[in-house]
Amino acid sequence: MLRFPGHGHRDHEDVVIGPLDLSAHVDEALAVQAVAFGLAADEIAVRRQIVVRHMTYPGARALGATAADGRLVGFVYGMPNDRTHWWSTVVQPYLRAQGHDAWLDDSFVITELHVHPRYQNRGIGRALITTITDGADEPRSILSAIDTDSPARGLYRSLGYVDLARQVLFPSAPKPYAVMGATLPLRRR
């Protein structure tokens, strides 16, 4: 378990990172994602079904960041990539067009990573993603992020992720995404 000490302010109490039974805590996790990612109730309902299904896949695992009062304030989950999964079928043509199709094999995919805005910029997201990928058997990791110059993309770049494909369009997503990949272990500061 990793501990992030607080700074005496109510929003900066200790945060502990450790294994998370995501199926049992899916509503708490999606509440964090809703605030961090700006999701509406109908989007949360769809994502709930997806998360519960994903956690049944071989090798799927999750970590949570929990505040001192037991509230989940961040989470990450992922799994070994499988070309038959929906995400892979969407990104594969974009990766193939850039000569990066092989990244879909032998990769651990970061499916979701979210930290409540009040707890961002404390190293919690960095600790979540490095800890989960440190336990991966695969030699590399892939993920998708909204294709803008955001703090999330800055974090991923600082960990060694590079753009493999940009302007990737997911059905019903209003903004294009970038697919990023990094060799493991992820870069440390």
Side-chain angles (χ1 to χ4, degrees):
M1 298 228 178
L2 298 173
R3 189 171 300 278
F4 289 79
H7 303 291
H9 186 269
R10 190 178 131 267
D11 289 339
H12 291 96
E13 71 269 21
D14 286 355
V15 173
V16 176
I17 292 177
L20 175 66
D21 179 350
L22 188 54
S23 295
H25 297 277
V26 64
D27 294 321
E28 295 166 71
L30 290 175
V32 170
Q33 185 175 359
V35 173
F37 211 58
L39 299 178
D42 59 333
E43 294 171 298
I44 293 295
V46 170
R47 288 175 186 252
R48 187 181 197 286
Q49 295 173 4
I50 294 167
V51 170
V52 170
R53 183 178 71 244
H54 281 168
M55 294 315 295
T56 67
Y57 291 174
R61 58 193 198 295
L63 296 173
T66 307
D69 64 3
R71 282 176 305 121
L72 190 67
V73 298
F75 75 100
V76 64
Y77 84 93
M79 65 199 80
N81 194 55
D82 184 325
R83 282 180 178 264
T84 65
H85 292 167
W86 176 84
W87 181 85
S88 290
T89 65
V90 174
V91 303
Q92 192 269 341
Y94 294 92
L95 291 173
R96 184 178 54 229
Q98 298 300 315
H100 296 302
D101 184 62
W103 276 84
L104 292 173
D105 301 316
D106 297 319
S107 289
F108 185 83
V109 63
I110 300 298
T111 309
E112 299 289 349
L113 170 63
H114 300 284
V115 176
H116 192 286
R118 283 192 308 236
Y119 291 83
Q120 291 176 2
N121 300 311
R122 293 178 58 192
I124 294 169
R126 177 181 299 277
L128 285 166
I129 193 170
T130 56
T131 303
I132 200 165
T133 57
D134 282 352
D137 292 329
E138 295 75 21
R140 54 193 174 187
S141 173
I142 53 176
L143 56 79
S144 55
I146 294 175
D147 195 1
T148 61
D149 191 19
S150 65
R153 297 251 293 143
L155 168 64
Y156 301 143
R157 285 187 195 103
S158 76
L159 294 166
Y161 284 90
V162 297
D163 291 340
L164 302 174
R166 298 196 57 198
Q167 298 297 301
V168 175
L169 301 174
F170 287 98
S172 77
K175 299 177 182 174
Y177 279 70
V179 176
M180 302 178 79
T183 57
L184 297 179
L186 294 177
R187 184 185 308 145
R188 300 312 202 261
R189 288 184 177 170

